[in-house]
Amino acid sequence: MCAAANASLPESLYAADGVRALDRCAIDDFGTPGFELMQRAARSAFRQLARHWPEARRVLVLCGAGNNGGDGYLVAASAQRQGLPVRCLAVADPAKLKGDAESAYKAAQDTGVSIERYDGSAASLLTEALAEADMVVDAMLGTGITGALRSPFDKVIAALNESGRPVLAVDVPSGLDATTGWIETEAVNATVTVTFIGLKAGLLTGRGPDVAGDVVFDDLGVDPAVYDRVPAVARRTDWRIEARGLPVRRRGAHKGDCGHLLVIAGERGFGGAALLASEAAARTGAGLVTLATRPEHVSAALTRCPSLMVHGLTHGNELDALLAKADGIVFGPGAGQGAWGQQMLQRVMAFDGPVLMDADALNMLSSRAPGKHKNWIMTPHPGEAARLLGVANAVINRNRLDAVAQLEQRYGGVILLKGAGTLVLADDMQQPALVQGGNPGMATGGMGDVLSGVIGSLAVQGLSPSRAAVMGASLHAESADRAAQSKGFMGLLPMDLIDWLPTVLGEAEGVLPGCR
């Protein structure tokens, strides 16, 4: 889809404790009563319920403790006032509610909402409630979870997901870590998530995109000055935002003005990776693209993309003449970790310009002592990131924001951590960029090779390494989304994405009508 679909979401992303600080600031420093904020949140949630499920005739609201449960009780009260039959299950003991949440519970009672306690012992109660509901409101845990689910929440979430009922999650799908996007056991599979005051980073990275559904944001009308008091943990971006910084090409430009990229890739049996990276670089606008690969791949590369300059290399010393002419390098796709790849790595290590290290280049680097290189762009997926840091894959996935920070601290330069909600961090960035976009059709071999070529191409066209990484990831995601609109997810291939690159770029340049 066009990245303009994300236009209603703010750019600042917050951790769970940051959002609580925003909430506290709005109450303590700007005089907005906490119960008033809760009422605004409930009205906002009910508007989304009415918008997305206008035909719903029976609503089930699942309420936990704390303010998230309070939001749920007030949503139930709103439904009751509108004449919409509503049933409310208290998954946490209402007797333990305090403050605004207790006030919300009493308001729901006063409105006539039917509230039943569910402690996990009467399975039939939950089964019956889910069976009769047209849709379900999840207001159980919100931002309040950081570990494994406890009973009866685990039973309720499992049954809710099994039921297949559409779900409106209030603030955060229960079970999802709002900061990291990690799910320790299970989380509610929401259809829509309406989130308040601060956009939570965990909704957009890690497992967040799997369970959040369509994300809607409401700042609840808090004073804009509130956001000056609490730092964000990341900046959300997408192609709609990044396209504004695309370099403007002079009408009189020639190929020498548009950068010369050297792609070093393709050990025996992995020529496809070299071809994908090189063609993507050409399609992203590099003036010249040279491919250094195994001799066996030369003919196929020229047949596939005759605009490339292709050299078959056997030894590392053959690379020196090509390095002397290059403005930047992409190294690693399909390079292998054998003698050929090791020889190429030795030559690349001495290059002074921008270097994108991907795939086997990262695997080879993980066995060496780390060193900082300010002009490098490293693009690991979680498995490669784990090897670079010497940890298990689960450590990376548990906290992607922490992982990208550790990688940048260890290796310097630019780190791009692949995965849903791609993260980019560099020493010239105040905070990580979280690139929104992309789709499950990208879960196929070769997509990362295309990304390498896209970023490398932008880097030789005058963008700084960090800008090239962020813009390239956004362009890559947008092109994949556009390809999926006509191809679908299953069976989407890297070549489909490459075909869309010129169109997406042309729209951003103003040459073609489109998103800009």
Side-chain angles (χ1 to χ4, degrees), residues 138-398:
D138 164 29
M140 291 183 283
L141 295 172
T143 62
I145 187 168
T146 56
L149 293 171
R150 298 178 180 178
S151 182
F153 294 99
D154 54 350
K155 297 181 178 67
V156 175
I157 291 174
L160 174 56
N161 288 340
E162 180 67 22
S163 74
R165 292 291 184 268
V167 177
L168 172 66
V170 178
D171 211 20
V172 177
S174 292
L176 177 73
D177 188 305
T179 302
T180 66
W182 174 253
I183 298 172
E184 185 69 31
T185 47
E186 189 172 8
V188 168
N189 290 322
T191 311
V192 177
T193 297
V194 55
T195 194
F196 310 119
I197 296 188
L199 183 57
K200 289 79 179 168
L203 293 172
L204 304 182
T205 193
R207 293 288 310 283
D210 288 340
V211 299
D214 295 331
V215 177
V216 179
F217 175 75
D218 192 329
D219 65 9
L220 302 185
V222 301
D223 193 304
V226 166
Y227 298 98
D228 297 331
R229 307 285 185 92
V230 181
V233 295
R235 176 182 70 89
R236 185 194 67 82
T237 193
D238 56 30
W239 180 243
R240 178 188 62 85
I241 297 168
E242 295 304 320
R244 302 167 190 161
L246 190 69
V248 177
R249 186 164 291 192
R250 295 186 298 106
R251 288 187 176 272
H254 58 81
K255 62 187 178 183
D257 296 328
C258 300
H260 184 173
L261 181 68
L262 172 61
V263 178
I264 307 165
E267 175 58 292
R268 292 187 184 95
F270 297 96
L275 299 183
L276 291 170
S278 301
E279 185 172 353
R283 289 289 188 180
T284 307
L288 296 165
V289 180
T290 294
L291 171 60
T293 187
R294 277 288 193 177
E296 293 89 334
H297 303 142
V298 172
S299 177
L302 290 173
T303 301
R304 169 72 189 180
C305 190
S307 65
L308 302 176
M309 296 176 288
V310 188
H311 297 261
L313 306 186
T314 303
H315 301 290
N317 56 16
E318 299 173 82
L319 192 60
D320 294 342
L322 301 179
L323 289 169
K325 298 177 181 179
D327 297 315
I329 294 172
V330 167
F331 175 55
Q337 300 178 56
W340 191 84
Q342 295 287 352
Q343 289 181 45
M344 300 303 161
L345 177 61
Q346 286 299 116
R347 292 312 204 271
V348 170
M349 294 282 286
F351 187 77
D352 288 334
V355 178
L356 186 142
M357 293 285 198
D358 186 35
D360 284 321
L362 301 175
N363 292 326
M364 287 186 280
L365 288 171
S366 68
S367 63
R368 297 173 174 231
K372 294 191 175 183
H373 301 269
K374 65 178 181 178
N375 290 324
W376 281 15
I377 304 169
M378 300 175 70
T379 58
H381 58 55
E384 291 160 345
R387 287 189 283 277
L388 289 166
L389 291 176
V391 299
N393 287 16
V395 174
I396 304 298
N397 293 323
R398 185 180 291 272

Side-chain angles (χ1 to χ4, degrees), residues 58-96:
R58 297 180 300 275
V59 173
L60 172 64
V61 183
L62 302 172
C63 293
N67 287 347
N68 195 239
D71 293 341
Y73 287 119
L74 292 181
V75 170
S78 294
Q80 183 77 10
R81 283 193 294 270
Q82 293 299 318
L84 182 61
V86 59
R87 186 174 184 178
C88 186
L89 292 189
V91 187
D93 187 357
K96 297 181 180 180

